[in-house]
Amino acid sequence: FCFIDRTSTSSDCFKKPKTKRAKRFLEKREPKLTENTKNAILIKVIQKIPNPYLFFFRKNITRPFEDQTSLEFFSKKSDCSLFLFGSHNKKRPNNLIIGRMFDYHVLDMIELGIEKFVSLKDIKNSKCPEGTKPMLIFAGDTFDLNEEYRRLKSLLIDFFRGPTVPTIRLAGLEYVLHFTAMDGKIYMRSYKVLLKKSGCKIPRIELEEMGPSLDLVMRRTHLASEDLYKLSLKQPKALKPKKKKNISHDVFGTSYGRIHMQKQDLSKLQTRKMKGLKKRPAAKMTEEDEGISPKKSKSVL
Amino acid sequence: MAALCVEELLARAEQREAEPHRSVAVQKELELEFDLGNLLALDRNPPRAAGAQRESRLRSLARDNTQLLVAQLWGLPAGRAEGATGPLVAQLPEPFYRLPREKPLPRPRPPTRWEQFARLKGIRRRKRTSLVWDEAAKQWRRRWGYARAGGDPARDWLIEVPAGADPNEDQFAKRLRDKREKVARNEFNRLRNIARGALPGRGLHPTGHQSRAELGRATQVARVSTASLGRFQPRLPKEPAAPPPRGGKKRRFEPLLGDLAAERSRQLELLRGLGSKKPPLDLTRAVNKQLREEDAQAAAGKGKKRGQRGKRGRQRPGGGKGPAGGKGKKGGARRQQQRPAGRKRS
């Protein structure tokens, strides 16, 4: 079993996996209806200050904005669709490029300059466990009005949202990432959430500054064209909920069904015969009743 | 007395509400937008956190927004996981904010030759047991593989010469040859299925070994892959001439100075038609034709439904032009009908 895509060379395509493990590996990477959680590559150019977070492939990728082939190659090999590239030079100090891929080709890339950075270690507070799904808040109307900011918002959500879960433990909402767009800058702050007692069911929120906080400035962008972006947003039809016809709901939750009937001749309706109510043949009245319908009529369950 | 008590109670309640460190109320100019499936909140109000106390103002803004988001999350239908004493767990709705996919949508795989045949014949897959009883070994052995039931044929020390075969032929070599041929044939069929599944431009390979049909398709694709979509491509020496450009009445481009006689006759016909008083459309004939077409369509539709139930694999040529042609005629006929009626009344 193997899959075909336009980026695979012919030798990739015709090789059949020899073990079940290899087959599962390939199946995990092929396009699916409901996708896997996105993984990210963190790339860092050689710097003087060592950083404990992982980075790969330092030397081969130098300028993502000029040459994207090596980025795409590594994304394909590691099956990661998000990437974060950090660099520092005289022209662009403290540069951070955040980007995502579609079908192993670069979709969007935004270059941000870090003006102020406070790391996790600098703030001496208790932290929340790794892997908590964060709450994301975007403040500022620029995130809606400006096209580049809108893409940046989408990119940041993609990066930070984590796996999609059906249920969530309410007491476990500990981490919140707050992005504010103001005066041409984007302030990213991370807080730890403390749920305090209040008079009612909803707890009172107190925030404690925790993790990294960044002041970012948008530099260059490389956004995907409208039609490519639309193509990447396309969701499979199978996942769309099927709409049942002829059923409507009102505000109170009552559901209404519509039955389409043909025109009925009320004088010829077959009703229950009540001898006592039988009138003279001149003035015959039919009883009102429901439930008896002529032969040809559609009914909805 | 009662009134005083009530006033006191109200005052106390107000005081409690106004207590800043206990309230959950937040005032905002514009309502926030929530996407609870992603634990996302979007605040459209312009932030007022500039200036000296930026950090504290940012923090209070964050606190307000988080309070609103948490209020929404607490409003979701919740239950207790793992029994009555487990943690309180809320049901998240589907994420609303549309994010781009990682990979494009999967294309459905076209059926292989065997799958088509099986669908045609109505052959369904039988579930087989994984273990088979081996009489010789008195054990349950696997059907094929390492220690299979029936013994490994490659390890036979004796092969009987079948009746009718040449006695001098090497049966061991023959068995080996047959196996190799079978494997090669299987591989060939697999590649053929893959090639069939590819789109017209994708399965083609620039190798020497291509079938006639593949070469034809490749030339077709190459011809159309120019900026002008192959309109000015010269034909190869033995390539058949281009098919006449199809198109309706409006897309046919005849040369300007071609057939003078045909042009003359066409213009005269036009003038004759304009000059005559007879209406160009015969109403009764048009209506009858329309009715006949509708009946034919209804009959074809019924037949199609019955056919589809029995043999899903077979494709039926659909009547594409039928409804489109009918619509024009119907409108025309109706329009013609209305005018004479109006004339009669006036």
Side-chain angles (χ1 to χ4, degrees), chain B residues 133-281:
Chain B
W133 178 251
D134 188 5
E135 202 47 59
K138 298 277 195 287
Q139 255 191 342
W140 284 99
R141 289 239 171 120
R142 51 182 86 176
R143 194 181 284 277
W144 53 269
Y146 170 59
R148 71 189 86 153
D152 193 357
R155 286 170 170 270
D156 278 346
W157 56 272
L158 178 88
I159 304 180
E160 282 180 18
V161 176
D166 180 17
N168 293 333
E169 197 186 3
D170 187 358
Q171 293 296 326
F172 293 99
K174 182 166 184 290
R175 184 181 274 178
L176 210 64
R177 225 180 18 241
D178 288 340
K179 178 138 179 99
R180 280 208 205 108
E181 273 177 21
K182 229 196 271 182
V183 169
R185 184 167 184 74
N186 196 6
E187 187 65 15
F188 175 75
N189 284 331
R190 186 179 75 91
L191 293 176
R192 199 168 57 177
N193 281 327
I194 292 170
R196 192 181 301 114
L199 286 181
R202 272 162 53 158
L204 304 170
H205 290 282
T207 59
H209 310 287
Q210 279 172 303
S211 71
R212 191 195 159 89
E214 263 188 47
L215 280 173
R217 261 183 284 143
T219 45
Q220 220 21 56
V221 174
R223 161 176 298 280
V224 190
S225 318
T226 57
S228 44
L229 301 179
R231 278 188 66 192
F232 306 110
Q233 281 303 106
R235 293 253 143 199
L236 291 172
K238 287 197 185 160
E239 214 178 342
R246 283 179 297 143
K249 257 195 221 170
K250 294 188 179 165
R251 290 311 283 179
R252 228 187 297 155
F253 299 111
E254 319 263 331
L256 278 175
L257 299 171
D259 197 356
L260 287 175
E263 193 180 335
R264 190 188 141 94
S265 57
R266 227 186 313 131
Q267 305 282 16
L268 286 175
E269 271 296 325
L270 195 69
L271 284 171
R272 202 178 308 141
L274 285 175
S276 77
K277 307 268 178 158
K278 205 169 55 152
L281 182 68

Side-chain angles (χ1 to χ4, degrees), chain A residues 7 9 11-12 15 25 29 39 41 56-57 69-81 101 104:
Chain A
T7 56
T9 58
S11 60
D12 272 4
K15 248 188 261 175
F25 177 79
R29 292 200 172 185
N39 291 326
I41 313 180
F56 329 129
F57 324 124
T69 42
S70 42
L71 250 183
E72 293 176 356
F73 174 71
F74 287 123
S75 142
K76 188 154 185 255
K77 282 293 168 184
S78 59
D79 192 31
C80 293
S81 60
M101 310 272 203
Y104 304 123

Side-chain angles (χ1 to χ4, degrees), chain A residues 171-222:
Chain A
L173 292 167
E174 289 177 347
Y175 190 29
V176 63
L177 284 167
H178 192 265
F179 298 89
T180 321
M182 204 169 58
D183 306 332
K185 289 200 203 163
I186 300 159
Y187 300 97
M188 174 183 146
R189 302 280 181 271
S190 336
Y191 300 103
K192 184 170 151 82
V193 176
L194 304 165
L195 306 163
K196 297 265 164 76
K197 263 196 186 170
S198 76
C200 54
K201 197 171 65 152
I202 304 167
R204 160 115 186 141
I205 299 290
E206 289 298 335
L207 296 179
E208 211 181 286
E209 179 120 18
M210 179 190 52
S213 80
L214 288 97
D215 288 358
L216 303 163
V217 162
M218 185 125 68
R219 286 180 188 161
R220 291 184 289 179
T221 59
H222 178 281

Side-chain angles (χ1 to χ4, degrees), chain A residues 117-158:
Chain A
F117 175 65
V118 181
S119 81
L120 266 176
K121 283 185 288 187
D122 294 343
I123 305 176
K124 313 270 187 258
N125 275 339
S126 60
K127 317 287 179 196
C128 72
E130 195 187 308
T132 343
K133 193 166 156 92
M135 293 191 274
L136 301 164
I137 306 181
F138 288 83
D141 46 355
T142 334
F143 276 124
D144 281 311
L145 303 174
N146 193 335
E147 175 60 40
E148 295 182 343
Y149 274 76
R150 252 184 291 168
R151 287 287 179 93
L152 178 65
K153 177 173 76 170
S154 158
L155 199 53
L156 290 169
I157 296 174
D158 222 350

